[in-house]
């Protein structure tokens, strides 16, 4: 049965609509590409994009996995036939043609790694490495310097080497060096944080452990059940404080640590230490640096209330402050001299409040200088410490 004119017209309309959609999408893509501007602007965009992609893979330093992924981007950036990245002991990545030269590359790069100067090897001089057409490859090898050290090299291979490729390869090697230095800086920051946590643990260890064990011993004969309870709390506190994994924890975990700490301190001081706690439930999951609250509470007990006559009060609050969780620890103890405290926090003098300085330094390292401790105090007026941390912290896992 022949198609009716009506059906034929409908089919033509559908086809025309589909063509219009395809053309419209194609024009939209072309317009978005043209929005980048001139050819020079598009070339700049592609260069920056390739550098950005490569940089992500090198932020953990020179390692085979990161170098292999970065090498593909950097070869595109240089427009060479092949590119290799080495450290001082071997070839980490090779991308492109001429891979038969790979076993000899470290010998060829030995002078660059030792002397720190770029070397150019004309086509055919390095070895029988060939490009895709069978022609010999020339080589540029540029050192990667991190500070005063040569930590690796970037080698570019092409049928011929001009001044432009030599300069470009050297610039790429310098750029790789910056990524390596940033990776080393991140590693140093992590090591510093770990050292500061170890310092806090060392501070807790001699003073608190000795006093806690004495307090537990005092209950063994008079109240064995209380002694057993305190032993369990002491074990839980020390297990948390001396754990060996993670630089971060949650606010809820840190508050549980504080609860155990105060339970042990109240075994010593009895009713002399009074505590009130007010916490907004929505901030309990906030990630904070490990052992960042307990030293603040310990400071309130040791340096605020222990030297005070009669009972003292510690107030701990955690509030939802929009994008931040705000924690305050206030005591009505003997207070501190503000100028001496400021000098100690700045590292200009030693003092009894090393725990405060340690926490303040770690907060600034993690979140920036605007997130250090805010401390209000005066002799005889008690102390109020405020800490603000972002509630959203990508990359920080408890």
């Amino acid at each position: 049965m022949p198609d009716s004119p009506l059906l034929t017209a409908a089919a033509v309309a559908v086809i025309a609509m589909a063509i219009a959609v395809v053309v419209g999408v194609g024009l939209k893509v072309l317009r978005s590409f043209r929005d980048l501007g001139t050819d020079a602007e598009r070339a700049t965009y592609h260069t920056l994009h390739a550098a950005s992609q490569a940089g992500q893979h090198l932020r953990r330093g020179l390692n085979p996995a990161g170098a292999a992924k970065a090498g593909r981007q950097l070869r595109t950036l240089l427009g060479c036939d092949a590119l290799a990245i080495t450290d001082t002991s071997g070839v980490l990545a090779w991308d492109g043609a001429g891979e038969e030269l790979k076993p000899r590359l470290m010998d060829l790069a030995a002078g660059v790694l030792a002397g720190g100067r770029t070397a150019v090897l004309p086509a055919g001089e390095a070895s029988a490495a060939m490009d895709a057409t069978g022609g010999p490859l020339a080589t540029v090898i540029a050192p990667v310097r991190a500070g005063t050290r040569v930590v690796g090299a970037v080698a570019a291979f092409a049928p011929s080497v001009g001044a432009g490729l030599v300069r470009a390869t050297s610039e790429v090697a310098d750029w790789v060096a910056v990524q390596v230095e940033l990776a080393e800086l991140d590693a140093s920051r992590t090591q510093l944080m770990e050292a500061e946590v170890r310092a806090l643990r060392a501070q807790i260890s001699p003073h608190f452990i000795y006093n806690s064990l004495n307090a537990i011993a005092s209950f063994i004969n008079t109240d064995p059940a209380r002694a057993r309870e305190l032993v369990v709390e002491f074990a839980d506190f020390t297990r948390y404080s001396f754990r060996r994994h993670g630089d971060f924890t949650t606010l809820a975990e840190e508050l549980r640590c504080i609860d155990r700490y105060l339970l042990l301190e109240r075994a010593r001081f009895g009713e002399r230490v009074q505590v009130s706690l007010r916490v907004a439930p929505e901030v309990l999951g906030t990630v904070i640096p490990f052992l960042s609250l307990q030293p603040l509470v310990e400071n309130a007990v040791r340096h605020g209330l222990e030297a005070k006559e009669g009972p003292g009060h510690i107030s701990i609050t955690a509030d939802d402050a929009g994008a931040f969780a705000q924690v305050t620890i206030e005591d009505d103890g003997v207070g501190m001299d503000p100028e001496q405290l400021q000098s100690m926090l700045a590292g200009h003098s030693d003092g009894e409040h090393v725990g405060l300085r340690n926490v303040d330094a770690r907060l600034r390292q993690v979140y920036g200088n605007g997130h250090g401790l805010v401390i209000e105090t005066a002799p005889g007026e008690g102390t109020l410490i405020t800490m603000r941390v972002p509630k959203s912290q990508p990359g920080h896992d408890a």
Side-chain angles (χ1 to χ4, degrees), residues 336-346 348-349 377-379:
M336 298 176 272
D337 180 88
E339 291 186 2
Q340 290 182 0
L341 175 65
Q342 194 61 38
S343 176
M344 185 274 299
L345 290 176
H348 299 153
S349 64
T377 188

Side-chain angles (χ1 to χ4, degrees), residues 360-372:
D360 180 69
R362 285 197 294 145
L363 291 173
R364 293 176 189 275
Q365 288 164 10
V366 174
Y367 305 117
N369 281 330
H371 290 277

Side-chain angles (χ1 to χ4, degrees), residues 60-118:
R60 293 188 179 275
L62 285 178
N63 61 71
K69 293 177 180 177
R72 288 192 286 273
Q73 301 288 341
L74 297 179
R75 183 166 77 90
T76 300
L77 199 62
L78 290 175
C80 54
D81 287 55
L83 182 134
I85 301 174
T86 82
D87 59 11
T88 56
S89 59
V91 180
L92 299 175
W94 188 290
D95 188 75
E99 198 162 352
E100 60 271 22
L101 181 58
K102 184 176 178 179
R104 290 197 56 212
L105 181 57
M106 292 308 293
D107 290 336
L108 297 172
V112 175
L113 295 171
R117 299 185 64 180
T118 298

Side-chain angles (χ1 to χ4, degrees), residues 83-343:
L83 182 134
I85 301 174
T86 82
D87 59 11
T88 56
S89 59
V91 180
L92 299 175
W94 188 290
D95 188 75
E99 198 162 352
E100 60 271 22
L101 181 58
K102 184 176 178 179
R104 290 197 56 212
L105 181 57
M106 292 308 293
D107 290 336
L108 297 172
V112 175
L113 295 171
R117 299 185 64 180
T118 298
V120 178
L121 305 176
E125 180 176 313
S127 75
M130 301 293 177
D131 64 12
T133 65
L137 290 173
T139 310
V140 182
I141 307 175
V144 176
R145 299 182 189 86
T148 59
R149 299 171 295 120
V150 176
V151 297
V154 172
F157 303 86
S160 63
V161 172
L165 183 59
V166 174
R167 287 196 298 268
T169 304
S170 296
E171 290 296 330
V172 166
D174 289 344
W175 177 86
V176 171
V178 171
Q179 309 310 308
V180 172
E181 289 177 331
L182 288 172
E184 291 179 348
L185 181 61
D186 286 343
S188 297
R189 182 183 303 169
T190 299
Q191 291 168 0
L192 180 59
M193 289 181 62
E194 291 173 350
E196 288 171 340
V197 170
R198 288 194 296 270
L200 282 173
R201 288 168 173 159
Q203 178 192 0
I204 291 169
S205 176
H207 179 90
F208 175 73
I209 291 178
Y210 176 79
N211 289 331
S212 295
L213 291 176
N214 273 345
I216 292 169
S218 69
F219 286 102
I220 289 177
N221 293 324
T222 60
D223 193 344
R226 179 79 186 282
R228 284 194 295 271
E229 177 191 0
L230 292 174
V231 166
V232 171
E233 296 296 338
F234 177 77
D236 287 341
F237 174 82
T238 53
R239 186 182 300 114
Y240 174 81
S241 300
F242 292 93
R243 72 179 191 180
R244 295 185 178 274
H245 64 280
D247 296 321
F248 296 88
T249 187
T250 63
L251 182 59
E253 285 292 327
E254 195 81 355
L255 288 173
R256 274 193 282 271
C257 170
I258 288 171
D259 182 59
R260 297 183 183 110
Y261 167 79
L262 288 171
L263 183 67
L264 292 163
E265 289 289 42
R266 293 186 71 176
R268 288 177 57 211
F269 293 107
E271 294 305 314
R272 282 189 58 200
V273 176
Q274 301 172 0
V275 181
S276 62
L277 180 67
R278 179 174 58 81
V279 179
E282 55 268 30
V283 301
L284 286 173
T286 301
V287 174
I288 62 175
F290 178 65
L291 280 184
S292 57
L293 288 184
Q294 189 276 337
L296 309 185
V297 176
E298 183 171 355
N299 182 82
V301 174
R302 289 181 58 189
H303 305 299
L305 304 186
E306 191 169 353
K308 178 184 177 180
E309 293 292 334
H313 184 264
I314 298 173
S315 174
I316 303 170
T317 65
D319 294 318
D320 185 351
F324 299 91
Q326 179 168 295
V327 182
T328 63
I329 297 171
E330 184 174 13
D331 68 75
D332 59 359
V334 297
M336 298 176 272
D337 180 88
E339 291 186 2
Q340 290 182 0
L341 175 65
Q342 194 61 38
S343 176

Side-chain angles (χ1 to χ4, degrees), residues 22-36:
V22 171
V23 171
V25 170
L27 289 174
K28 184 177 181 180
V29 171
L30 289 173
R31 280 196 300 271
S32 65
F33 187 71
R34 283 199 299 268
D35 286 343
L36 289 173

